[in-house]
């Protein structure tokens, strides 16, 4: 039996697991997908929001500002790619300047430090590619950019090293509690028992809640589509560029990523299917039309991919984080700024559990984690030293991102193993460059096959039933 079962291995579930493993608790994380960070935690803007646009007094406002402060230490402890680049909220119409001032005042009420209002001339000096017709802007110095999926992996790996167990490819189908107050969590494969539960199931958190809780919930899925530009455009903007937010959200942004790409999006589309992550011509056109209100032109000749993610909206327009039933903790409606607030949300969820179970402190807790050594970022003498130690560093698998075989092998054998092409991609950036895997996919399949002891036909892209090869035809001379 487990002390705590966490349902969902996204940013909230993995951050909560890391928070709880500081104590002597037997913890299990159950994930329906094949890896951590397979939902909204991987398909979002990667922005650490300063916290000025959240309504004062809401959980979003409180936890956003708290989360930003917590990240200052976490990115160092967990070796998470992060950059404090700041953000601008542009005002294109002089009649909307009062709305910009209101946003500034919101930020002050929320406790956001280092906010300032900029004139048109100051904006152009900051960002030369911004539309010259912009009248004013709000500058948030504490805003940043982060790798969202690498953040989840970092939390998960550190939790695993500290004894947290992870189970993948199992979907929760029912939850019961007996007279001794022990939960039975039924999945598609087996049953598990626990003293307490954290529901961090993202877009499916309403279903998990409704298995057990008297108060029923309904998550409203909202799709956001994005364009990603090649890193040749890394200097197009240096700060995250927003427009004035609307009722639908923060709107279309233009931002650098920590890997020096440029990200454009998202739009906001209500969808019925919680797994409808397709991109559409209409949605992508909407993104470009909106983005051109902020900048003169967009270098779309350097686009390398488009993608979509699903946000979990709640009718309250706020996070829902509470102990809904005794020892059953909900984290529902975690949309933007969920990534920014994640450490604080995890801290809050863990607090309910700790208050109930009163566990001892884990004196053997290890709080530091080192990421995969990035060969492409090293000086030439360090690269040569590594190749002498391990010749696999001399085998470049992904040319676009200069990812070596040694990095791929390490990703496969980390505390949370990379068992698919997409899992390797999230940990190493292989397949994320300009050719989007056109060169490296075959080699990656060979490495995954070898390291996991699989047939090449059993290697998958992103989980069950996503095999790349249906069969491999051997020619008479033995060549593939």
């Amino acid at each position: 039996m487990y002390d705590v079962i966490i349902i969902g291995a996204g940013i909230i579930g993995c951050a909560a697991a890391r928070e709880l493993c500081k104590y002597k608790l037997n913890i299990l994380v159950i994930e329906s997908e094949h890896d951590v960070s397979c939902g909204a935690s991987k398909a979002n803007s990667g922005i650490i929001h300063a916290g000025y646009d959240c309504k004062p007094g809401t959980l979003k406002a409180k936890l956003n500002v708290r989360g930003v402060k917590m990240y200052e230490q976490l990115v160092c402890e967990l070796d998470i790619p992060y950059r404090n680049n700041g953000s601008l909220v542009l005002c294109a119409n002089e009649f909307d300047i009062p709305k910009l001032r209101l946003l500034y005042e919101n930020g002050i009420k929320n406790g956001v430090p280092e906010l300032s209002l900029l004139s048109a001339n100051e904006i152009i000096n900051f960002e030369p590619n911004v539309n010259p017709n912009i009248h004013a802007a709000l500058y948030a110095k504490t805003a940043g950019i982060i790798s969202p999926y690498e953040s989840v992996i970092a939390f998960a790996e550190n939790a695993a090293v500290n004894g947290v167990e992870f189970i993948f490819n199992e979907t929760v189908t029912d939850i019961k509690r007996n007279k001794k107050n022990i939960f039975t969590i039924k999945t598609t494969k087996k049953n598990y028992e626990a003293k307490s539960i954290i529901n961090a199931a993202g877009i499916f958190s309403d279903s998990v809640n409704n298995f057990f809780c008297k108060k029923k919930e309904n998550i409203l899925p909202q799709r956001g589509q994005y364009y990603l530009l090649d890193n040749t455009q890394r200097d197009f903007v240096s700060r995250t560029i927003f427009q004035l937010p609307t009722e639908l959200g923060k709107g279309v942004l233009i931002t650098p990523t920590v890997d020096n790409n440029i990200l454009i999006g998202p739009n906001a589309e209500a969808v019925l299917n919680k797994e409808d992550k397709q991109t559409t011509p209409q949605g992508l056109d909407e993104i470009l039309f909106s983005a051109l209100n902020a900048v003169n032109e967009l270098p779309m000749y350097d686009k390398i991919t488009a993608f979509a993610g699903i946000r979990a909206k709640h009718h309250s327009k706020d996070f829902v984080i509470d102990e809904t039933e005794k020892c059953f903790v909900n984290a529902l409606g975690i949309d933007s700024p969920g990534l920014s607030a994640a450490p604080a949300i995890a801290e809050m969820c863990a607090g309910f559990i700790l208050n109930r179970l009163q566990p001892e402190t884990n004196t053997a807790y290890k709080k530091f984690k080192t990421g995969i050594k990035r060969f492409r970022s090293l000086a030439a003498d360090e690269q040569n030293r590594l190749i002498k130690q391990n010749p696999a560093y001399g085998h470049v698998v992904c040319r676009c991102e200069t990812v070596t075989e040694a990095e791929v092998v390490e990703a496969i054998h980390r505390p949370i193993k990379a068992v698919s092409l997409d899992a390797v991609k999230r940990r190493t950036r292989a397949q994320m460059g300009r050719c989007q895997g056109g060169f490296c996919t075959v080699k990656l399949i060979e490495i995954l096959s070898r390291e996991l002891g699989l047939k090449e036909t059993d290697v998958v892209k992103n989980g069950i039933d996503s095999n790349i090869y249906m069969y491999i035809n051997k020619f008479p001379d033995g060549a593939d």
Side-chain angles (χ1 to χ4, degrees):
M1 183 174 68
Y2 295 93
D3 294 308
V4 189
I5 287 182
I6 300 170
I7 301 170
I11 187 73
I12 306 304
C14 292
R18 199 253 185 179
E19 191 69 30
L20 286 168
C21 73
K22 299 174 183 177
Y23 301 87
K24 291 183 179 179
L25 293 167
N26 191 15
I27 305 165
L28 172 68
V29 179
I30 300 175
E31 170 57 45
S32 61
E33 299 287 348
H34 75 293
D35 190 19
V36 301
S37 194
C38 285
S41 295
K42 72 171 171 58
N44 63 68
S45 305
I47 305 299
I48 301 301
H49 296 281
Y52 48 74
D53 62 329
C54 302
K55 184 178 178 181
T58 61
L59 274 179
K60 285 187 175 183
K62 174 185 173 182
L63 298 179
N64 186 162
V65 175
R66 169 70 178 154
V68 171
K69 188 67 178 174
M70 292 176 75
Y71 271 118
E72 292 177 9
Q73 183 173 339
L74 286 169
V75 295
C76 297
E77 290 179 355
L78 300 178
D79 198 13
I80 300 171
Y82 168 79
R83 193 189 309 162
N84 175 215
N85 68 320
S87 67
L88 292 170
V89 183
L90 305 182
C91 180
N93 189 323
E94 63 180 326
F95 299 108
D96 285 334
I97 290 178
K99 295 180 182 177
L100 196 70
R101 291 200 182 103
L102 181 60
L103 211 56
Y104 171 83
E105 291 166 7
N106 266 359
I108 299 300
K109 290 176 184 176
N110 290 343
V112 180
E114 299 185 88
L115 288 176
S116 57
L117 294 170
L118 303 183
S119 67
N121 287 337
E122 289 173 314
I123 298 164
I124 295 300
N125 288 334
F126 265 37
E127 295 290 344
N129 286 319
V130 161
N131 191 322
N133 295 320
I134 296 298
H135 288 268
L138 173 64
Y139 174 50
K141 190 175 181 180
T142 58
I145 51 178
I146 201 166
S147 173
Y149 39 85
E150 289 186 74
S151 302
V152 183
I153 292 164
F155 283 121
E157 287 188 346
N158 189 240
V161 165
N162 284 290
V164 175
E165 185 180 349
F166 285 77
I167 290 176
F168 298 101
N169 296 313
E170 294 193 29
T171 301
V172 172
T173 58
D174 199 12
I175 300 173
K176 303 290 186 188
R177 184 160 60 183
N178 63 24
K179 293 180 180 179
K180 296 181 179 180
N181 287 324
I182 300 301
F183 290 99
T184 297
I185 295 93
K186 182 180 181 181
T187 75
T188 44
K189 293 185 179 178
K190 61 184 292 188
N191 293 346
Y192 301 90
E193 290 188 335
K195 297 176 184 176
S196 59
I197 292 173
I198 294 178
N199 172 18
I203 197 72
F204 297 103
S205 56
D206 53 351
S207 299
V208 172
N209 172 87
N210 296 346
F211 287 139
F212 179 76
C213 298
K214 295 183 183 70
K215 182 183 178 182
K216 304 307 177 186
E217 294 285 359
N218 182 34
I219 291 296
L220 309 170
Q222 186 181 82
R223 183 175 63 194
Q225 299 183 46
Y226 295 88
Y227 269 118
L228 188 70
L229 306 188
D230 190 35
N231 59 20
T232 54
Q233 294 299 326
R234 66 182 64 198
D235 297 324
F236 184 69
V237 294
S238 59
R239 296 162 185 83
T240 301
I241 308 297
F242 292 100
Q243 299 172 54
L244 277 172
T246 68
E247 284 295 313
L248 293 176
K250 296 177 176 65
V252 171
L253 59 86
I254 305 168
T255 185
T257 71
V258 290
D259 296 297
N260 297 314
N261 298 99
I262 295 292
L263 188 66
I264 306 168
N267 63 343
E269 306 167 295
V271 291
L272 298 176
N273 183 351
K274 291 182 177 181
E275 298 183 275
D276 185 0
K277 299 174 186 176
Q278 65 179 332
T279 57
T280 65
Q282 296 85 357
L284 295 174
D285 284 347
E286 179 186 348
I287 291 168
L288 297 183
F289 180 80
S290 178
L292 285 170
N293 291 321
V295 293
N296 277 327
E297 57 182 356
L298 289 166
M300 298 309 294
Y301 49 82
D302 267 333
K303 65 180 181 292
I304 57 174
T305 193
F307 65 93
I310 302 291
R311 299 187 284 270
K313 306 291 287 187
H314 190 269
H315 63 82
S316 68
K317 298 183 181 179
D318 197 6
F319 299 149
V320 178
I321 304 166
D322 57 22
E323 189 178 13
T324 308
E325 303 280 351
K326 181 181 177 181
C327 293
F328 188 106
V329 177
N330 265 323
L332 296 109
I334 311 300
D335 60 344
S336 183
L339 176 64
S340 311
I345 295 172
E347 182 182 60
M348 186 174 177
C349 289
F352 291 115
I353 301 297
L354 298 175
N355 184 56
R356 288 288 185 184
L357 301 186
Q358 296 290 312
E360 296 179 28
T361 300
N362 177 10
T363 55
Y365 170 68
K366 302 176 182 69
K367 70 177 181 179
F368 293 102
K369 186 228 68 155
T370 303
I372 297 171
K373 193 181 293 291
R374 304 299 189 198
F375 184 82
R376 64 184 175 273
S377 302
L378 302 175
D381 57 344
E382 178 67 7
Q383 291 178 339
N384 290 330
R385 187 185 66 80
L386 282 178
I387 292 169
K388 287 178 181 178
Q389 289 180 352
N390 180 359
Y393 278 108
H395 303 158
V396 174
V397 175
C398 172
R399 290 179 178 175
C400 296
E401 296 292 321
T402 319
V403 179
T404 67
E405 182 176 353
E407 293 166 86
V408 174
V409 170
E410 182 181 347
I412 293 169
H413 296 292
R414 298 277 293 187
I416 302 293
K417 296 181 183 297
V419 297
S420 71
L421 287 167
D422 280 4
V424 169
K425 176 168 67 175
R426 285 189 287 272
R427 288 158 175 81
T428 68
R429 288 194 58 78
Q431 306 174 90
M432 282 193 177
R434 191 176 188 91
C435 83
Q436 291 288 287
F439 174 79
C440 60
T441 297
V442 172
K443 184 60 179 176
L444 291 171
I445 290 172
E446 291 175 2
I447 298 171
L448 280 161
S449 170
R450 181 190 74 210
E451 296 297 319
L452 297 173
L454 299 174
K455 297 177 182 178
E456 290 186 15
T457 49
D458 291 333
V459 173
V460 295
K461 181 183 186 299
N462 56 13
I464 296 169
D465 297 329
S466 62
N467 305 62
I468 303 298
Y469 297 149
M470 297 306 294
Y471 65 90
I472 299 175
N473 184 31
K474 295 288 184 181
F475 291 95
D477 63 1
D480 291 354

